[in-house]
Amino acid sequence: MTKLRLAIVGAGPAGIYAADILLKHERSFDVSIDLFEGLPAPYGLVRYGVAPDHPRIKGIITALREVLDRGDIRIFGNVQYGRDITLADLQQHYHAVIFATGAVRDADLDIPGIDLPGSYGAADFVSWYDGHPDFPREWPLEAQSVAVIGNGNVALDVARVLAKHADDLLPTEIPANVYAGLKASPVTDVHVFGRRGPTQVKFSPLELRELGELRDVDMIVHDEDFDYDDAARAAIASNKQIFVIDKVFTKWREEESGSASRRLHLHFYAKPLEVVAGPDGRVASFRYERTRPDGAGGVEGTGEIRSVDVQAVYRAVGYFGSPLDGIPFDERRGVIPNHEGQVLAEDNEILPGVYATGWIKRGPVGLIGHTKSDAMETIQHLVNGQASWWTPEDPSEESVTELLESRGVAYTNLDGWHALDTHEIALGEPEGRARIKVVDRDEMVEISRSGQ
Ligand SMILES: Cc1cc2nc3c(=O)[nH]c(=O)nc-3n(C[C@H](O)[C@H](O)[C@H](O)COP(=O)(O)OP(=O)(O)OC[C@H]3O[C@@H](n4cnc5c(N)ncnc54)[C@H](O)[C@@H]3O)c2cc1C
């Protein structure tokens, strides 16, 4: 074998890093990589998850783009594995496949009322404000008071975007309809609820501190949540992140609550119990049980039930991967079962030629940087596993374009992405904005294909 023909499914950071790492890896064979992406634009959650007011993180796109722009990876956008291309197709034209399909949907939260009108998944809201083409363009922002359930960075993103004045988001790349929706929002109070204590949060210190910098938004924390026990004090003393997080809370506790028109409340030791409907059948309040430390690093219920009036609830309790046709799936964890990136069959035996990386391999936790180390591990096994690769009937590069064309798949390529990128930047220019995203899928494909 002189050349490995590799398919990678998913052009988020995990897929792009995997391709880059393989191309730079010491090996005894040539490599030719095709990257299949279901969306007409690459970069996965960096484009469609990271918040628009985090330009420094969005800037990781520049590094990912440099990898694609080298031109040694073919990208097929608007090609969905399972619909436009199947496992049998891949086995016919490639020696191996890496799945890097990430996660786009919300994990469930099993409490009564969670499916009421006015109760939403954070992932859906994120997809809306980041202009994901497969999500509705309209978002009902009618609530004055909102509950956000979760104590991770996604909960902070959602709470921040809800509480922030739309004009302060205008310099970012938010789509026009998102600006209009947020501008009309009557919100005054955003309540964030976490089951555990302030030293047990999953927030990044930077993201937390940022909340205190929002214009015309007061931060509200409650003294009763800061009666630290030994475990909390030990966490502050031994963990740098928790130390900084505690400093941020302390500052807010010392500040006089001002006269801002919006407030962001952080509630700890609050276990979600129920989303309660009003007479109109829509969300009217959120009930929770006060918890306390159990002395073993967790929390236990106190039996004290509280309630806050809200007209909308957002659950930010994690993302969840989606199953892929013909590929084993762990329904409990929402990942492809694997050993260090080598996909496992039901009997736990390694499935030849099939690999996974990124959030679909590891679960939806960790920052973009983690997908790089993750990809290294997967690529090491791919390189070492040469003996178990598939034996494709037709590994030629043309065979894949011919196959997609024969099926009438309107795929986009790197030139197409450049055309769309240039178009979005030009849309933003007259308004002094970095870009304005095109959101409609057909329009994205049309612009891309006219430039390729
Ligand atoms: C709301 C939110 C905010 C975040 N903010 C930050 C942050 O500020 N900083 C940070 O470091 N990290 C952040 N992260 C984490 C970061 O986004 C992830 O670590 C990273 O994107 C995971 O990479 P991935 O490539 O595994 O998955 P993804 O980024 O999800 O990419 C997967 C790609 O696969 C494609 N795909 C899926 N199924 C198919 C299919 N069947 N066929 C073809 N293509 C398919 C998808 O369209 C997508 O493009 C955030 C995550 C979320 C959810």
Side-chain angles (χ1 to χ4, degrees):
M1 145 112 48
T2 54
K3 191 182 232 182
L4 162 70
R5 289 275 295 129
L6 174 69
I8 299 180
V9 180
I16 296 177
Y17 284 139
D20 188 37
I21 288 166
L22 176 60
L23 285 166
K24 292 173 178 161
H25 200 283
E26 198 177 309
R27 54 192 151 74
S28 57
F29 48 83
D30 283 343
V31 173
S32 142
I33 303 175
D34 288 348
L35 188 52
F36 294 97
E37 168 55 53
L39 294 169
Y43 313 132
L45 284 168
V46 189
R47 184 173 156 103
Y48 291 118
V50 170
D53 56 347
H54 281 174
R56 197 177 54 81
I57 309 293
K58 289 275 188 204
I60 293 175
I61 284 181
T62 311
L64 296 174
R65 187 192 158 123
E66 275 166 17
V67 173
L68 296 182
D69 282 357
R70 276 201 321 252
D72 49 8
I73 301 161
R74 275 201 311 186
I75 173 157
F76 293 94
N78 201 32
V79 178
Q80 185 78 14
Y81 170 85
R83 183 193 62 201
D84 303 317
I85 195 151
T86 65
L87 186 62
D89 298 329
L90 297 180
Q91 285 170 323
Q92 200 166 1
H93 300 295
Y94 297 92
H95 297 96
V97 59
I98 299 177
F99 288 98
T101 48
V104 77
R105 63 190 168 116
D106 286 284
D108 292 332
L109 176 66
D110 193 14
I111 57 170
I114 198 70
D115 293 325
L116 283 174
S119 173
Y120 311 105
D124 292 347
F125 181 57
V126 167
S127 294
W128 173 74
Y129 70 58
D130 254 343
H132 193 298
D134 297 341
F135 287 77
R137 289 296 68 231
E138 299 303 319
W139 192 271
L141 285 162
E142 290 143 7
Q144 232 184 323
S145 195
V146 179
V148 177
I149 305 172
N151 261 183
N153 285 335
V154 176
L156 291 192
D157 280 347
V158 166
R160 193 181 65 254
V161 170
L162 285 167
K164 203 165 180 166
H165 289 278
D167 285 340
D168 296 337
L169 281 166
L170 199 52
T172 73
E173 59 179 42
I174 51 163
N177 65 308
V178 175
Y179 170 70
L182 291 169
K183 179 86 180 153
S185 165
V187 75
T188 57
D189 291 87
V190 177
H191 298 265
V192 179
F193 293 93
R195 218 167 43 84
R196 312 208 301 163
T199 60
Q200 294 168 308
V201 293
K202 299 254 165 31
F203 306 145
S204 305
L206 263 181
E207 289 231 8
L208 182 70
R209 187 160 34 204
E210 194 184 346
L211 296 183
E213 290 156 13
L214 299 183
R215 183 179 63 83
D216 191 30
V217 178
D218 278 342
M219 289 307 302
I220 315 273
V221 286
H222 303 276
D223 284 345
E224 63 173 356
D225 289 339
F226 293 88
D227 190 9
Y228 287 150
D229 63 355
D230 287 347
R233 277 190 287 274
I236 294 167
S238 64
N239 183 317
K240 181 94 194 298
Q241 296 230 44
I242 301 295
F243 175 81
V244 179
I245 282 172
D246 176 58
K247 279 253 168 306
V248 177
F249 289 139
T250 306
K251 180 171 171 286
W252 290 340
R253 290 177 64 203
E254 286 166 0
E255 279 171 3
E256 283 286 307
S257 167
S259 54
S261 68
R262 293 181 176 180
R263 285 158 297 279
L264 213 159
H265 311 249
L266 299 182
H267 305 266
F268 300 100
Y269 298 114
K271 180 185 168 207
L273 284 186
E274 185 180 4
V275 182
V276 182
D280 60 356
R282 297 185 59 82
V283 171
S285 64
F286 171 65
R287 284 177 74 235
Y288 60 98
E289 180 182 3
R290 179 91 182 144
T291 63
R292 65 181 162 223
D294 63 3
V299 289
E300 60 190 11
T302 62
E304 182 191 341
I305 311 299
R306 297 184 182 180
S307 170
V308 55
D309 288 348
V310 292
Q311 301 81 48
V313 170
Y314 291 76
R315 67 177 194 281
V317 293
Y319 275 54
F320 205 78
S322 300
L324 294 154
D325 276 4
I327 303 299
F329 189 66
D330 180 336
E331 293 286 347
R332 201 178 51 81
R333 294 182 55 226
V335 299
I336 299 177
N338 68 90
H339 175 67
E340 297 176 352
Q342 305 164 98
V343 173
L344 301 176
E346 260 176 34
D347 55 6
N348 266 352
E349 287 295 308
I350 289 169
L351 209 56
V354 188
Y355 299 83
T357 195
W359 272 18
I360 196 66
K361 161 187 176 185
R362 194 165 28 85
V365 283
L367 298 174
I368 297 161
H370 294 133
T371 59
K372 205 181 239 182
S373 41
D374 210 27
M376 278 180 199
E377 186 184 67
T378 297
I379 291 300
Q380 190 64 52
H381 282 296
L382 169 73
V383 170
N384 293 343
Q386 189 167 356
S388 66
W389 294 343
W390 301 328
T391 312
E393 233 167 73
D394 181 0
S396 69
E397 293 186 0
E398 319 78 75
S399 64
V400 178
T401 35
E402 282 164 14
L403 176 78
L404 293 174
E405 271 156 24
S406 74
R407 289 189 182 154
V409 178
Y411 65 87
T412 60
N413 62 19
L414 184 61
D415 288 338
W417 162 240
H418 285 161
L420 180 60
D421 189 40
T422 307
H423 180 88
E424 290 186 340
I425 292 169
L427 279 182
E429 238 164 39
E431 298 180 29
R433 301 176 56 189
R435 76 171 62 231
I436 295 178
K437 272 183 185 169
V438 177
V439 181
D440 182 75
R441 183 184 273 262
D442 291 344
E443 198 185 337
M444 290 173 82
V445 172
E446 198 185 307
I447 296 163
S448 298
R449 285 177 66 88
S450 68
Q452 64 191 45

